[in-house]
Amino acid sequence: GSQKLTQMQIIDNALLLILAGSETSASTLTTAMLFLGMYPDIYKKIQEEQEQIQSKYGRGCELTREMLDDEMPLLEAFIRETMRIKPLNSGAPRVTKEAIVVDGKQIPKDWTVFCNVLLTHALDPKTIETDGGSNMDIYKGFKPDRWLSEETKPSEWMAFGYGARYCLGANLAMAEMKIFLSIVARKMEFSLVNGTDNIKWQKLSIIPKPKDGTLIYATKNLE
């Protein structure tokens, strides 16, 4: 109808768009670029996947939704693994509708609780089975191939939340990240400017990302 948003509602929605949309995808891509630089063998496989798509549909072809959904299993696995090992720094708040008991501890009605995404991923029995205590280690536990088999696929993954409050922009975010990384893989070779032995992480970031912002040096234009 004719009802207008108040100034506070406009500010709230603007902040929501920035934090929930731009910041999260940009931070995840920043960390993804770090992992591509750390693992050139994985980057090579992603480039080969993109080469197969270009051979099938022609060079210069526009990326379609069908390509993003069906033709890039390795790239999707890479993004999912990035979001598994470096998810939200915090969790999503919920309010209990009634008193509940969790692990012998009572949580009263109307209390605010947080689900810890990082801890949920860390305690995933599937990744613990294959990697033990190193399942969240970026040097020992980063294995995108785990997503390509039902036997090794993580059983606990809530990078986009879970249930009725599942991220409304999840499909858009995945599409955006696939498009960006597809273009990078098709167009360039690169190396990391800084070393990877002692990576510093930004403390104030919704999604963890390297403190240096993942500085890269483009070494070759593939076009």
Side-chain angles (χ1 to χ4, degrees), residues 167-211:
C167 177
L168 292 175
N171 290 335
L172 176 61
M174 286 297 289
E176 288 176 336
M177 291 188 286
K178 284 182 180 179
I179 290 171
F180 177 87
L181 294 173
S182 293
I183 294 173
V184 168
R186 293 181 181 194
K187 292 181 177 293
M188 62 184 288
E189 298 285 1
F190 73 92
S191 60
L192 298 173
V193 172
N194 297 319
T196 60
D197 293 334
N198 187 25
I199 298 171
K200 303 293 185 182
W201 298 89
Q202 290 191 20
K203 295 181 179 180
L204 299 178
S205 179
I206 296 176
I207 301 287
K209 57 187 175 185
K211 195 171 184 179

Side-chain angles (χ1 to χ4, degrees), residues 14-189:
L15 288 173
L16 180 63
L17 288 173
I18 294 171
L19 294 175
S22 303
E23 167 66 15
T24 49
S25 296
S27 294
T28 299
L29 285 171
T30 300
T31 302
M33 291 298 292
L34 170 69
F35 290 153
L36 288 179
M38 288 177 64
Y39 298 103
D41 55 329
I42 294 176
Y43 186 45
K44 183 64 177 177
K45 290 179 180 179
I46 291 174
Q47 287 180 309
E48 291 172 352
E49 184 176 71
Q50 290 301 315
E51 180 64 30
Q52 291 175 1
I53 294 173
Q54 292 186 95
S55 297
K56 181 177 179 179
Y57 296 99
R59 296 192 176 280
C61 64
E62 292 187 1
L63 290 169
T64 65
R65 187 54 189 264
E66 289 71 23
M67 291 181 197
L68 296 176
D69 289 344
D70 303 327
E71 307 275 358
M72 306 179 187
L74 181 56
L75 181 56
E76 175 153 343
F78 171 80
I79 294 173
R80 284 180 173 273
E81 183 70 353
T82 298
M83 298 179 74
R84 182 193 71 81
I85 213 164
K86 286 296 179 183
L88 286 167
N89 266 325
S90 61
R94 299 288 185 267
V95 176
T96 54
K97 292 183 176 180
E98 56 187 30
I100 58 175
V101 177
V102 178
D103 290 338
K105 306 293 184 181
Q106 179 173 292
I107 302 175
K109 178 183 177 181
D110 294 329
W111 273 41
T112 300
V113 296
F114 282 81
C115 57
N116 191 313
V117 178
L118 180 63
L119 186 60
T120 299
H121 290 183
L123 296 179
D124 181 358
K126 211 66 169 289
T127 59
I128 290 176
E129 178 183 342
T130 56
D131 297 283
S134 64
N135 64 333
M136 299 296 285
D137 189 312
I138 65 172
Y139 301 102
K140 299 178 181 178
F142 187 78
K143 300 176 181 178
D145 285 352
R146 73 169 82 245
W147 290 91
L148 302 178
S149 170
E150 289 299 323
E151 294 182 358
T152 57
K153 185 178 179 180
S155 58
E156 303 289 346
W157 191 78
M158 51 186 301
F160 286 115
Y162 193 80
R165 298 281 182 164
Y166 186 78
C167 177
L168 292 175
N171 290 335
L172 176 61
M174 286 297 289
E176 288 176 336
M177 291 188 286
K178 284 182 180 179
I179 290 171
F180 177 87
L181 294 173
S182 293
I183 294 173
V184 168
R186 293 181 181 194
K187 292 181 177 293
M188 62 184 288
E189 298 285 1

